């Protein structure tokens, strides 16, 4: 498990759990509200046309950069996460100042600068929130994501200009503030994502001569990598479709205007549905079943749009939005679950996910503007676009990424977990004697190491390094297994030798065996 995930999945008291849910839901909801508010600016201020897709493209590139830089930095650099967090705050502040100024001055150049900064910050901020979500169990992620959808709708319900302007400034800053509060509540450094109970010295810049660089383990099997790629493609397709239809102006009276419009009302519907299901069913809640609901509802929305656009366009947009939000919350939960088993952790998984989402949305904005132009000129009928969308949804839901693939990537389904547990118990029973013997020896070794660590005043991290040293692991292997820099692993080793008054690894092993 990565340093950014240390302390994850710890049991909490009901009061602390409610406080954590409130912080996460409010902070993530404000982040999403900021993104939606920025995407709506071109429809309100014609002078900044084109900034919405630029905003999304920059967000996608930023998230993709975080994903691959995280993959590269694991075990080598401990400061990358710190640079990302600080850059996110700086870009949020820049966007909060430049975007309102560009709107007041009607400056397209300033708007481009502000939206580019905001897009990069939005991509990074969502990844940082993803790391915090992955540090909790799936029920927490489910409820927090669902409540965040409701928060987003509430924040955007008002159409007053002063409220929108405050949103460009206050939403991102408050979201980042709540992120730091959530980290503090869990005793996590918001800069490094690591536990405050553990203070490691900075990594040394280079390795000692003769030491081999740690070789990373394969994070996913080739099949799971293939499935993860299909999931990211599905995220891009769903995001493309929902943003394309949002860009096509609706006709008639919107019956949900009191709730901010059909798109925002969809957030409220899904938020309450997910929250109620998670609270009532708890561990029995099969979140994968929402995928069965998401695709048909979006297909129905496209059909209504094709057949009854003139009279029921708002209903169609509502159905498409509800289907998409069911899928979006499910994906956020799936990302969190995948992050806990992936070598590179949440930064990598959420980075890829946010990049796929923003890329699809950017393409959807451009496609929606093109479709609107073609429909207005009479070159293309809306029915054709709706039918093509239905085909895309059916292909995605039943061929590209069917429901059964989710359990292969991450067993979110309760009965899938039960089946996996039964299979593991069966395999264990076949060689129980040898396994129990090996487990007994392992436990005995760890108990002796814990006793020595307590006796000599070793820190929790030094205790972990001591166990690996007692097993005969080298410094590069320790750095790889604990996901820390090689220089840090070497420093821990030297401190352990000094505290135990030994001079080489064999003396340490003899000491542990004789304890």
């Amino acid at each position: 498990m990565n340093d950014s995930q240390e302390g994850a999945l710890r049991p909490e008291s009901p009061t602390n759990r409610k406080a954590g849910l409130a912080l996460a839901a409010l902070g993530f909801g404000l982040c999403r509200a900021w993104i939606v508010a920025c995407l709506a600016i071109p429809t309100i201020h014609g002078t900044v046309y084109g900034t919405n897709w630029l905003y999304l493209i920059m967000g996608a590139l930023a998230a993709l950069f975080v994903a691959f830089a995280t993959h590269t930095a694991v075990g080598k650099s401990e400061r990358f996460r710190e640079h990302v967090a600080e850059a996110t705050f700086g870009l949020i502040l820049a966007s909060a100042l430049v975007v309102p100024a560009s709107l007041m001055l009607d400056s397209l150049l300033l708007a481009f600068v502000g939206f580019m900064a905001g897009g990069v910050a939005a991509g990074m901020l969502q990844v940082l929130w993803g790391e915090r979500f992955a540090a909790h169990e799936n029920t927490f992620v489910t409820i927090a994501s669902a409540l965040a959808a409701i928060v987003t709708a509430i924040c955007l319900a008002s159409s007053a200009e002063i409220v929108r302007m405050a949103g460009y400034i206050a939403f991102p800053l408050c979201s980042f503030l709540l992120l730091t509060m959530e980290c503090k509540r869990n005793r996590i450094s918001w800069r490094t994502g690591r536990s405050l109970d553990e203070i490691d010295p900075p990594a040394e810049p280079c390795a000692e001569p003769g030491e081999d660089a740690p070789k990373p383990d394969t994070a996913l099997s080739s099949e799971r990598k293939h499935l993860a790629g299909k999931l990211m493609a599905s995220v891009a397709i769903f995001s493309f479709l929902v943003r394309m239809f949002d860009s096509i102006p609706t006709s008639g009276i919107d019956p949900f205007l009191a709730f901010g419009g059909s798109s925002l009302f969809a957030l409220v519907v899904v938020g309450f549905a997910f929250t109620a299901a998670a609270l009532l069913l708890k561990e029995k809640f099969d979140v994968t079943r929402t995928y069965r609901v998401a695709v048909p509802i979006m297909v129905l929305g496209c059909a209504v749009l094709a057949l009854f656009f003139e009279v029921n366009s708002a209903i169609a947009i509502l159905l498409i939005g509800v289907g998409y939000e069911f899928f979006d919350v499910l994906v956020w939960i799936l990302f969190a679950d995948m992050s806990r088993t992936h070598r590179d952790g949440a930064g990598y998984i959420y980075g890829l996910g946010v990049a796929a989402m923003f890329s699809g949305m950017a393409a959807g904005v451009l496609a929606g503007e093109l479709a609107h132009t073609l429909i207005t000129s009479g070159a293309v009928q809306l029915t054709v676009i709706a039918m093509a969308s239905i085909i895309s949804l059916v292909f995605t839901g039943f061929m590209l990424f069917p429901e059964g693939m989710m359990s292969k990537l991450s067993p979110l389904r309760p009965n899938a977990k039960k089946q996996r547990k039964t299979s593991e118990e069966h395999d264990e029973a076949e060689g129980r004697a040898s396994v129990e013997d090996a487990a007994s020896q392992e436990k005995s070794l760890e108990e002796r190491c814990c006793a020595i660590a307590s006796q000599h005043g070793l820190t929790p991290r030094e205790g972990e390094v001591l166990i690996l040293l007692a097993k005969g692991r080298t410094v590069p292997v320790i750095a790889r297994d604990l996901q820390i820099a090689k220089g840090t692993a070497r420093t821990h080793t030297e401190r352990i030798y000094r505290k135990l008054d030994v001079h080489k690894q064999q003396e340490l092993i003899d000491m542990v065996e004789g304890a």
Side-chain angles (χ1 to χ4, degrees):
M1 184 175 292
N2 288 7
D3 290 337
S4 61
Q5 291 172 269
E6 289 182 4
L9 307 180
R10 296 175 298 179
E12 293 183 296
S13 66
T15 303
N16 287 337
R17 179 181 172 82
K18 290 179 181 178
L21 281 170
L23 281 175
L26 184 57
F28 186 54
L30 287 170
C31 175
R32 288 287 180 91
W34 172 46
I35 295 171
V36 176
C38 289
L39 295 180
I41 288 179
T43 62
I44 303 170
H45 302 273
T47 56
V48 292
Y49 172 78
T51 53
N52 46 4
W53 59 265
L54 177 65
Y55 179 91
L56 291 168
I57 289 174
M58 295 305 297
L61 292 175
L64 194 63
F65 167 76
V66 171
F68 285 100
T70 299
H71 173 74
T72 304
V74 166
K76 298 179 181 178
S77 173
E78 297 178 340
R79 296 188 61 84
F80 170 72
R81 170 61 164 69
E82 182 176 351
H83 296 326
V84 169
E86 292 176 345
T88 301
F89 177 72
L91 290 167
I92 286 174
L93 191 59
S95 176
L97 295 174
V98 176
V99 169
S102 69
L103 298 179
M104 291 186 289
L105 298 174
D106 287 336
S107 172
L108 184 60
L109 178 60
L110 275 180
F112 278 167
V113 173
F115 275 86
M116 288 176 68
V120 174
M124 291 181 172
L125 185 58
Q126 285 208 97
V127 175
L128 293 178
W129 271 115
E131 288 186 343
R132 296 310 316 140
F133 275 49
H136 298 278
E137 78 283 357
N138 288 334
T139 303
F140 182 100
V141 181
T142 302
I143 298 175
S145 301
L147 291 177
I150 299 174
V151 171
T152 300
I154 294 174
C155 291
L156 298 173
S158 176
S159 59
E161 176 65 23
I162 188 171
V163 175
R164 287 199 302 264
M165 189 66 71
Y168 307 146
I169 302 172
F171 288 172
L173 292 174
C174 289
S175 178
F176 193 87
L177 174 63
L178 290 169
L179 176 67
T180 60
M181 292 174 62
E182 161 66 7
C183 290
K184 184 178 180 180
R185 191 185 70 86
N186 289 279
R187 292 193 56 76
I188 298 293
S189 167
W190 67 267
R191 284 189 174 89
T192 64
R194 301 178 61 187
S195 172
L196 294 174
D197 297 325
E198 173 193 320
I199 303 176
D200 281 336
E204 296 182 28
C206 57
E208 292 179 354
E211 286 189 349
D212 296 327
K215 297 180 180 180
D217 293 331
T218 302
L220 294 171
S221 65
S222 57
E223 180 186 11
R224 292 187 69 204
K225 287 181 179 179
H226 183 64
L227 293 176
K230 287 188 172 184
L231 173 61
M232 300 306 172
S234 301
V235 171
I237 292 172
F238 273 79
S239 302
F240 168 83
L241 292 175
V242 74
R243 185 51 58 183
M244 179 181 70
F245 286 116
D246 278 347
S247 300
I248 299 176
T250 58
S251 60
I253 299 176
D254 190 345
F256 307 102
L257 199 58
F259 300 94
S262 53
S263 297
L264 294 183
F265 186 64
L267 295 174
V268 177
V269 171
V270 174
F272 277 114
F274 256 105
T275 304
L279 291 176
L280 294 176
L281 299 177
K282 297 181 180 180
E283 295 298 329
K284 296 180 180 179
F285 179 40
D286 184 357
V287 293
T288 59
R289 289 185 179 178
T290 57
Y291 193 53
R292 304 178 192 176
V293 177
V295 176
I297 289 180
M298 288 191 73
V299 169
L300 178 61
C302 292
V304 172
L305 196 64
L307 300 174
F308 309 105
F309 175 74
E310 295 298 332
V311 292
N312 287 317
S313 60
I315 300 296
I317 296 301
L318 172 65
L319 291 172
I320 293 173
V322 168
Y324 173 75
E325 290 304 325
F326 271 121
F327 176 75
D328 183 56
V329 175
L330 171 61
V331 164
W332 203 257
I333 302 167
L334 188 62
F335 286 164
D337 205 55
M338 291 170 59
S339 299
R340 301 185 193 108
T341 58
H342 196 283
R343 172 183 176 271
D344 297 332
Y348 181 75
I349 296 296
Y350 276 99
L352 293 180
V354 172
M357 187 181 301
F358 273 33
S359 298
M361 292 171 69
V365 168
L366 295 175
E369 294 174 354
L370 177 61
H372 181 228
T373 302
L374 294 176
I375 292 171
T376 303
S377 64
V380 175
Q381 296 294 321
L382 180 61
T383 303
V384 176
I385 297 176
M387 293 305 296
S389 300
I390 291 175
I391 294 173
S392 300
L393 288 169
V394 172
F395 171 77
T396 303
F398 295 97
M399 296 184 67
L400 178 62
F401 193 75
E403 182 185 344
M405 289 186 176
M406 293 185 187
S407 59
K408 295 181 180 179
L409 266 179
S410 182
L412 291 175
R413 187 185 287 107
N415 60 354
K417 294 180 180 180
K418 184 177 179 180
Q419 291 172 1
R420 184 181 66 170
K421 182 178 180 180
T422 303
S423 176
E424 290 174 351
E425 289 176 350
H426 176 72
D427 293 340
E428 183 181 354
E430 293 181 351
R432 187 173 298 277
S434 58
V435 171
E436 288 180 352
D437 189 38
S440 176
Q441 294 177 5
E442 183 77 10
K443 182 179 180 182
S444 178
L445 174 66
E446 292 188 0
E447 287 177 345
R448 290 196 296 268
C449 288
C450 288
I452 292 174
S454 176
Q455 181 181 356
H456 291 82
L458 271 60
T459 66
R461 175 62 91 189
E462 290 171 351
E464 294 176 359
V465 175
L466 173 63
I467 293 173
L468 294 176
L469 288 171
K471 293 179 180 179
R473 304 293 191 268
T474 61
V475 168
V477 174
I478 293 172
R480 181 199 66 191
D481 291 348
L482 296 181
Q483 301 284 311
I484 59 177
K486 191 186 300 183
T488 302
R490 186 182 305 109
T491 301
H492 281 314
T493 301
E494 292 173 354
R495 288 181 175 179
I496 292 170
Y497 284 177
R498 185 167 60 253
K499 290 181 179 181
L500 270 56
D501 195 22
V502 297
H503 301 88
K504 56 184 179 180
Q505 189 171 10
Q506 187 57 50
E507 291 182 15
L508 183 145
I509 294 174
D510 293 340
M511 181 179 183
V512 172
E513 290 179 349

